[in-house]
Amino acid sequence: MLKRWLLALMARLGLIVLAATTKEGYMALLQEREDSHKHYIDSLSKQIAQLKEALQERTQQLHESLEKAKSKGILPLGLDSLHKTPTQTDLREFFRSQLSQAEVTSGAKLPSEYALIPFDAFTLRRVYQLETGLTRHPEERPVRKDRRDELIGTVESALHVLNGPQQHVDNIKRKHTYGPADFIQGLTRTERDRGSVYELVFKGDRPQVFTQLVLFRPFGPLMKVKSDRVDTRRMLINIIVPLSKRADAFKHFISNFREVCIQRDGRVHLTIVYFGREQIDLVKAMLDQITRETRFRSFTLIQLNEEFSRGRGLEVGAKAWRRSQNILLFFCDVDIHFTSDFLTSCRLNAEPGKRVYYPILFSQYNPSIIYSNQTLLPSLQQQLVIRKETGFWRDFGFGMTCQYRSDFINIGGFDRSIKGWGLEDVHLYRKYLHSKLLVVRAPSRSLFHMWHEKTCADELPPDKYKMCMQTKAMSEASHSQLGELIFKQEIQEHLKRSRGI
């Protein structure tokens, strides 16, 4: 009995000792954790202090850099110029700094021959320009009114200076009154961060004596116009494609549509306006396949038993939208390839009642000519590059456009009398130019016109047929590539002679 009592007492003592040991262990563990957290907090506090010190140092360096830039005229008013109105003294100092840094009286060190900004030459009636693209000419009358006003106003300002009293204070008897007929020619170029310089030459008061006047129009500091937050999450785009036959081209288009619009974007509706009955079953089959595989059902297929008219098809597609939503329209062709970036540009550059977007797409040359020295053609993605050897900016085309349905309806839509190919898009474009809406015209790096064989129908009137043939010639290859085809025999004969054959 006594033995059992001793054993029970020893067991209780063991538990008490174990409990005491466990409590001491927990306390030690808690103390260790507390010390670790304090050490971590101290470390973070030191890092925060170091970051604050570094931030203050960088802020001081930034202020010093801004002051230095201000003294040199690079940032004349500092970053706060975007938030306050510059004073007259600030602007005067800024314009003087712009003049002192521009290439007016002295040149600048340039890295290569391509870095030089060329001058445009001009007279009272003509401008002779180097950068012509496909729509401008080497010699032409200034089409834009602001360009005409700029050049004429520059000559008038020069005459005002030359005929001013300060020019002839030394010898009144030799004073020569200058007029527009005395203007011989001028040179002008624009430095985008400085301003425009004009070098004007006038006849002097005797033969072989000339008066040369240099004028400079400085650019002012930046001014904030507006800052908007644009939410595109609910901006639905209705892509309208007029189509007749061309099932093979539609196969490529729907593949691009599936990847970009269904798998990535998801905020689009596709409207196909099909003319005739031939091959329409193939088009329906492709749409059905897309629906089965992706469950995407935002399609509209409209069939017209009429002669193909692009303008008619686009107008029918635009008016077929019956929902209350003022939808954004993208007028597209079946041979167009676009990316999700283009859809974003479409949403950002069009605004109902204010802006319409006319992107300049990149038109591909004939791949069989471009890649004639390769055994196999590169993949489609490898062909979508923007280089002068692979294509050109289609700055004479106005068919691809993003505009809201309300603007299209209010402007009067397309000219319904136009049939077949061409001109209907130009007429619509001119309507917008004559309206108060802002037309946004710019190259798009995400919009490609895929090359395809072009046929100019015999029934086209002469003006349209000529336009069609010009487009066909431009779309085949670059100047140098066409030259290689024309002189192919001479090149091969020279190669044989060089090899001693």
Side-chain angles (χ1 to χ4, degrees):
M1 180 100 180
L2 180 62
K3 186 176 181 180
R4 288 182 180 180
W5 180 82
L6 288 174
L7 289 175
L9 179 62
M10 290 178 64
R12 288 185 179 183
L13 289 175
L15 290 173
I16 293 173
V17 172
L18 179 61
T21 305
T22 304
K23 183 177 181 181
E24 292 176 358
Y26 280 136
M27 293 298 293
L29 181 61
L30 289 175
Q31 185 65 39
E32 182 180 353
R33 290 287 181 88
E34 184 177 356
D35 293 341
S36 176
H37 283 224
K38 286 183 178 180
H39 178 73
Y40 182 65
I41 291 173
D42 292 340
S43 176
L44 288 178
S45 300
K46 290 180 181 179
Q47 293 181 35
I48 292 173
Q50 292 174 355
L51 288 174
K52 285 183 177 180
E53 183 179 353
L55 180 60
Q56 291 176 352
E57 182 180 352
R58 294 294 296 171
T59 303
Q60 181 64 28
Q61 292 176 358
L62 178 60
H63 284 306
E64 293 175 356
S65 299
L66 289 177
E67 290 298 324
K68 186 180 297 184
K70 179 179 178 180
S71 65
K72 293 183 178 180
I74 301 174
L75 281 175
L77 301 176
L79 296 180
D80 56 348
S81 65
L82 297 178
H83 304 284
K84 71 176 184 179
T85 303
T87 65
Q88 187 174 0
T89 303
D90 291 332
L91 292 176
R92 189 181 300 113
E93 292 179 357
F94 169 65
F95 290 152
R96 287 173 180 170
S97 68
Q98 293 289 79
L99 176 60
S100 65
Q101 297 177 75
E103 291 185 63
V104 177
T105 57
S106 61
K109 294 182 179 181
L110 303 175
S112 70
E113 63 273 23
Y114 303 107
L116 180 71
I117 303 174
F119 283 89
D120 286 346
F122 67 96
T123 64
L124 289 177
R125 297 181 178 274
R126 291 285 189 273
V127 175
Y128 305 85
Q129 54 206 1
L130 182 63
E131 298 181 4
T132 59
L134 290 174
T135 56
R136 299 169 63 191
H137 303 285
E139 177 207 50
E140 67 180 11
R141 293 182 179 180
V143 177
R144 286 182 57 97
K145 183 179 183 299
D146 58 348
R147 181 64 163 161
R148 293 196 305 270
D149 292 345
E150 172 203 358
L151 298 180
I152 294 174
T154 300
V155 176
E156 291 177 349
S157 298
L159 293 174
H160 178 75
V161 171
L162 294 176
N163 293 324
Q166 67 276 12
Q167 295 294 106
H168 310 284
V169 293
D170 296 335
N171 191 345
I172 297 296
K173 294 182 179 180
R174 295 188 59 193
K175 180 176 180 179
H176 171 68
T177 301
Y178 292 87
D182 295 318
F183 176 64
I184 299 175
Q185 79 162 16
L187 299 178
T188 179
R189 71 176 178 181
T190 298
E191 300 176 43
R192 296 185 181 276
D193 59 340
R194 298 286 179 260
S196 298
V197 61
Y198 307 87
E199 299 184 7
L200 309 175
V201 178
F202 294 84
K203 297 176 184 177
D205 54 0
R206 62 184 63 182
Q208 299 182 2
V209 175
F210 305 93
T211 298
Q212 188 174 26
L213 183 66
V214 178
L215 301 177
F216 183 69
R217 189 194 306 273
F219 291 154
L222 289 173
M223 296 178 62
K224 178 182 176 181
V225 178
K226 66 176 183 177
S227 177
D228 295 333
R229 178 178 179 271
V230 182
D231 188 351
T232 65
R233 289 176 294 180
R234 296 186 179 182
M235 289 186 182
L236 186 67
I237 299 178
N238 186 8
I239 302 177
I240 305 176
V241 181
L243 186 63
S244 178
K245 303 176 184 178
R246 303 199 62 190
D248 291 339
F250 184 74
K251 182 178 180 180
H252 291 288
F253 174 85
I254 204 66
S255 175
N256 177 223
F257 180 88
R258 174 174 181 166
E259 178 183 355
V260 174
C261 300
I262 300 178
Q263 297 177 353
R264 297 183 183 178
D265 190 88
R267 295 162 291 162
V268 295
H269 181 89
L270 177 62
T271 300
I272 304 295
V273 182
Y274 198 90
F275 289 82
R277 297 180 179 179
E278 187 177 352
Q279 297 186 358
I280 191 173
D281 292 338
L282 297 176
V283 172
K284 289 181 179 179
M286 292 182 216
L287 294 177
D288 291 341
Q289 182 180 0
I290 291 291
T291 301
R292 290 194 308 270
E293 295 177 353
T294 66
R295 296 183 181 180
F296 183 84
R297 301 181 181 277
S298 192
F299 297 110
T300 299
L301 177 61
I302 303 172
Q303 183 182 2
L304 299 177
N305 294 320
E306 306 173 10
E307 180 185 355
F308 177 80
S309 169
R310 185 176 185 274
R312 163 76 170 153
L314 293 173
E315 186 147 356
V316 168
K319 292 183 177 180
W321 184 262
R322 300 298 182 184
R323 304 180 199 175
S324 59
Q325 180 182 2
N326 182 23
I327 195 169
L328 176 59
L329 307 176
F330 170 34
F331 293 160
C332 189
D333 286 341
V334 72
D335 45 28
I336 296 299
H337 183 95
F338 56 89
T339 69
S340 54
D341 289 339
F342 171 75
L343 298 180
T344 299
S345 298
C346 184
R347 294 183 174 100
L348 293 177
N349 290 317
E351 187 176 357
K354 295 183 178 181
R355 294 156 58 103
V356 293
Y357 181 40
Y358 273 83
I360 303 173
L361 51 81
F362 192 76
S363 188
Q364 282 192 324
Y365 288 137
N366 188 341
S368 62
I369 297 178
I370 300 174
Y371 307 105
S372 59
N373 59 342
Q374 300 184 21
T375 305
L376 297 175
L377 290 179
S379 65
L380 177 61
Q381 293 300 323
Q382 291 175 326
Q383 293 182 36
L384 298 178
V385 292
I386 299 176
R387 294 199 304 264
K388 65 179 182 179
E389 299 86 4
T390 61
F392 62 96
W393 290 114
R394 203 180 186 91
D395 56 350
F396 55 84
F398 307 97
M400 309 311 121
T401 171
C402 295
Q403 54 196 263
Y404 276 86
R405 184 177 183 272
S406 58
D407 294 327
F408 177 74
I409 299 298
N410 293 335
I411 205 72
F414 287 104
D415 186 343
R416 298 173 180 82
S417 64
I418 297 177
K419 303 294 183 182
W421 182 90
L423 291 185
E424 78 284 336
D425 48 2
V426 179
H427 287 194
L428 178 65
Y429 183 68
R430 288 173 180 168
K431 286 184 180 181
Y432 281 118
L433 294 180
H434 296 159
S435 73
K436 293 183 178 180
L437 275 72
L438 173 64
V439 177
V440 180
R441 180 78 166 153
S444 172
R445 59 183 175 85
S446 307
L447 192 63
F448 294 85
H449 179 270
M450 309 303 293
W451 182 89
H452 61 89
E453 187 71 34
K454 195 169 193 65
T455 303
C456 298
D458 291 337
E459 57 268 19
L460 289 173
D463 58 340
K464 289 187 180 181
Y465 187 85
K466 182 179 179 180
M467 185 186 299
C468 182
M469 291 300 293
Q470 289 175 344
T471 304
K472 181 177 181 179
M474 292 177 181
S475 303
E476 283 299 308
S478 66
H479 192 150
S480 60
Q481 291 165 334
L482 291 176
E484 290 183 9
L485 293 177
I486 295 176
F487 301 113
K488 183 177 181 179
Q489 184 176 353
E490 295 181 29
I491 295 174
Q492 290 178 345
E493 290 176 356
H494 177 270
L495 183 60
K496 291 180 180 180
R497 288 195 300 268
S498 63
R499 293 178 178 176
I501 300 177

